[in-house]
């Protein structure tokens, strides 16, 4: 039985997402994306009028990935379990983080440097996870400092991803994830 191929638009978004993570979005041309997606370069403009439109679709794709993970975590019974699951997912991706850094952080940082509407849209790559973390800290009983704790946890995640990438050492993620899990256990 033959598996259905994703449609061309989906293939373009998936390919752009992968290439942007590996090379950076600005360093990846539409021709590179079209070739890797096996879509004629002229057809790209049928789906995306500009490279910025494709970048918006990549941001939305990354947000959908986070939302799917969040939906899984939200099924857990306590906010501590949800926070631990968040950190556990980071640890589970240690190889990817050591090889390429954080896919959310890299894309958000790159797109934000240019400013404009795309920078504003890409800010959701940080804001959505931090709002969710803030909700978890509030639910644990940290109403007054929930924002600060969320920023701290998210910053620790971004920092460990950057250090793991810079040192090409996945054990940085393991070590820091353990420290974060121990900290969450004390809440």
């Amino acid at each position: 039985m033959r598996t259905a191929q994703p449609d061309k638009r989906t293939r373009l978004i998936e390919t752009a997402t992968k290439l942007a993570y590996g090379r950076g979005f600005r360093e990846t041309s539409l021709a590179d994306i079209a070739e890797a997606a096996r879509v004629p370069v002229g057809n790209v403009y049928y789906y995306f009028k500009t490279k910025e439109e494709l970048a918006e679709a990549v941001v939305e794709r990354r947000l959908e990935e986070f939302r799917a993970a969040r939906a899984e975590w939200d099924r857990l019974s306590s906010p501590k379990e949800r926070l631990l699951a968040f950190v556990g997912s980071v640890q589970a991706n240690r190889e990817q983080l050591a090889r390429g850094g954080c896919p959310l952080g890299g894309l958000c940082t790159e797109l934000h440097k240019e400013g404009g509407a795309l920078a504003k849209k890409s800010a959701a790559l940080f804001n959505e996870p931090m709002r969710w973390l803030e909700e978890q800290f509030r639910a644990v009983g940290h109403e007054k400092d929930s924002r600060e704790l969320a920023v701290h946890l998210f910053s620790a995640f971004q920092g460990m991803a950057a250090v793991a990438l810079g040192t090409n050492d996945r054990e940085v993620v393991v070590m820091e994830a353990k420290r974060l899990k121990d900290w969450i256990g004390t809440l």
Side-chain angles (χ1 to χ4, degrees), residues 107-120:
L107 183 61
C108 181
T109 301
E110 180 181 3
L111 297 178
H112 196 77
K113 286 178 182 176
E114 296 184 19
L118 194 51
K120 190 172 185 170

Side-chain angles (χ1 to χ4, degrees), residues 6-169:
D7 65 30
K8 287 179 184 177
R9 185 178 194 284
T10 301
R11 282 199 328 259
L12 287 165
I13 295 168
E14 288 173 353
T15 302
T17 301
K18 288 176 190 165
L19 292 177
Y21 179 60
R23 299 182 196 170
F25 191 77
R26 293 296 169 210
E27 295 301 315
T28 304
S29 71
L30 288 176
D32 295 334
I33 295 164
E35 180 181 338
R38 297 176 324 279
V39 172
V41 73
N43 287 13
V44 173
Y45 296 101
Y46 175 77
Y47 300 101
F48 303 100
K49 302 297 180 220
T50 64
K51 192 172 177 187
E52 281 65 33
E53 280 186 23
L54 181 54
E56 287 179 24
V58 170
V59 168
E60 192 55 43
R61 170 70 177 222
R62 288 295 188 194
L63 287 171
E64 288 169 7
E65 291 169 356
F66 168 73
R67 291 168 186 154
R70 183 187 66 205
E72 289 293 316
W73 302 328
D74 283 343
R75 291 187 182 122
L76 298 170
S77 61
S78 76
K80 267 190 189 181
E81 286 179 291
R82 292 188 286 274
L83 290 167
L84 290 169
F86 172 81
V87 174
S89 72
V90 171
Q91 186 172 352
N93 289 312
R94 63 189 171 273
E95 297 290 340
Q96 177 187 20
L97 295 173
R99 214 175 34 252
C102 174
L104 298 178
L107 183 61
C108 181
T109 301
E110 180 181 3
L111 297 178
H112 196 77
K113 286 178 182 176
E114 296 184 19
L118 194 51
K120 190 172 185 170
K121 181 160 184 78
S122 71
L125 295 168
F126 276 23
N127 290 328
E128 273 197 40
M130 285 195 296
R131 273 194 301 272
W132 180 83
L133 290 169
E134 188 175 346
E135 291 170 14
Q136 304 318 305
F137 284 113
R138 261 196 312 275
V140 160
H142 286 271
E143 183 66 38
K144 292 185 180 194
D145 58 352
S146 60
R147 174 152 170 70
E148 290 84 1
L149 292 170
V151 169
H152 172 69
L153 178 54
F154 197 76
S155 297
F157 159 54
Q158 288 300 311
M160 79 172 81
V163 173
L165 172 62
T167 61
N168 193 31
D169 183 1

